Amino acid sequence: MTGRPGTPIAVVTGASSGIGAATARQLAAAGYRVVLTARRKDRVEALAAEINEAGHQATAYALDVTDRAAVDEFATAFHTLAVLVNNAGGALGADPVATADPEDWRRMYEVNVLGALHMTQALLPALTASGDGTVVVVSSTAGHATYEGGAGYVAAKNGARVLAETLRLEIVGTPVRVIEIAPGMVRTEEFATTRFRGDTEKAAKVYAGVSDPLTADDVADTITWACTRPPHVNIDLLVVRPRAQASNTKVHREP
């Protein structure tokens, strides 16, 4: 996959909505040819069309990051790659450890951790060959501190965090930097609704009384800023929360 001569390529996973879609738009505006991946083909194709119509460069590719064979086939399209944004992920359920569904834990681990592992392993040669590659892992503040009802998601995001930290140690000295972006409370169209299996009332309570949670664009702006720093500058970890959130369990809510 190539764009205009000299145009760096960025792959964004989970680009069908939320942070992934916003990141694709902002990286495209910053001068990257973006390759949008997600399971929902219609969504990434529509976004690619939108980005191209805006005068930027985008290609859509339907991909399930938990399918290693599909990821390996996808990776064959790249000789060099500038940026990989491991954004695909999400939460399922908010049950306590005693009653949580192990299937939810397995699915969260497969997407948040193994999905990032598959993509990183498959594309690391192309990132290295670029001479200036960037791996971004979109984790969460959940990967840095636990909270009641969140153990499965916390465990998965801890896995993503450790993947980023360890990879950075292992590839130091190569022309690839590893960046972790850990968002706090972000209101997107699907995250909480998916977590609560379509229960919009429960999803709304997550943000109740919080006048200004982060938006997908806020996080995308952070990711794009980190990716566009000079090559010798590595943003190891950037935690970004709304002003109203002091920690995972301390949030100011208006009455």
Side-chain angles (χ1 to χ4, degrees):
M1 295 184 184
T2 58
R4 299 177 191 127
T7 303
I9 301 173
V11 170
V12 181
T13 69
S16 58
S17 66
I19 292 171
T23 298
R25 291 187 182 98
Q26 293 200 27
L27 286 175
Y32 291 90
R33 177 182 179 85
V34 291
V35 180
L36 319 175
T37 74
R39 289 176 297 176
R40 293 179 291 185
K41 182 180 179 182
D42 58 332
R43 296 287 292 267
V44 288
E45 286 182 342
L47 179 56
E50 172 199 317
I51 291 171
N52 287 321
E53 288 169 7
H56 307 306
Q57 301 181 75
T59 302
Y61 193 102
L63 181 66
D64 180 350
V65 296
T66 68
D67 183 339
R68 184 53 186 260
V71 169
D72 286 342
E73 180 180 357
F74 169 74
T76 63
F78 301 92
H79 298 297
T80 65
L81 179 66
V83 174
L84 166 62
V85 180
N86 285 304
N87 167 74
L92 291 171
D95 300 309
V97 171
T99 57
D101 185 347
E103 179 64 14
D104 286 345
W105 283 48
R106 183 187 66 79
R107 290 172 61 194
M108 285 188 282
Y109 189 84
E110 285 189 348
V111 178
N112 289 282
V113 184
L114 295 183
L117 176 65
H118 293 326
M119 294 295 292
T120 301
Q121 287 182 334
L123 291 169
L124 192 56
L127 288 157
T128 305
S130 74
D132 177 21
T134 299
V135 176
V136 178
V137 175
V138 181
S139 63
S140 168
T141 55
H144 295 265
T146 193
Y147 57 93
E148 294 169 282
Y153 184 58
V154 167
K157 286 304 188 183
N158 259 289
R161 174 182 64 83
V162 169
L163 185 157
E165 287 185 351
T166 308
L167 178 64
R168 190 180 303 115
L169 293 172
E170 292 172 343
I171 65 171
V172 66
T174 72
V176 179
R177 56 189 177 178
V178 182
I179 294 169
E180 180 191 351
I181 305 295
M185 180 181 286
V186 185
R187 175 182 276 166
T188 63
E189 65 267 33
E190 294 185 325
F191 179 84
T193 303
T194 298
R195 182 171 206 167
F196 295 111
R197 309 180 203 286
D199 189 327
T200 55
E201 185 175 344
K202 279 187 177 180
K205 287 180 179 178
V206 173
Y207 312 103
V210 181
S211 59
D212 291 302
L214 297 178
T215 67
D217 282 331
D218 292 328
V219 181
D221 181 58
T222 301
I223 294 168
T224 303
W225 175 82
C227 289
T228 53
R229 293 312 84 207
H232 70 286
V233 176
N234 194 95
I235 308 301
D236 284 16
L237 168 65
L238 201 160
V239 176
V240 53
R241 290 188 173 103
R243 185 174 60 189
Q245 184 183 32
S247 75
N248 290 346
T249 56
K250 181 70 173 181
V251 179
H252 175 72
R253 300 179 189 271
E254 299 290 343

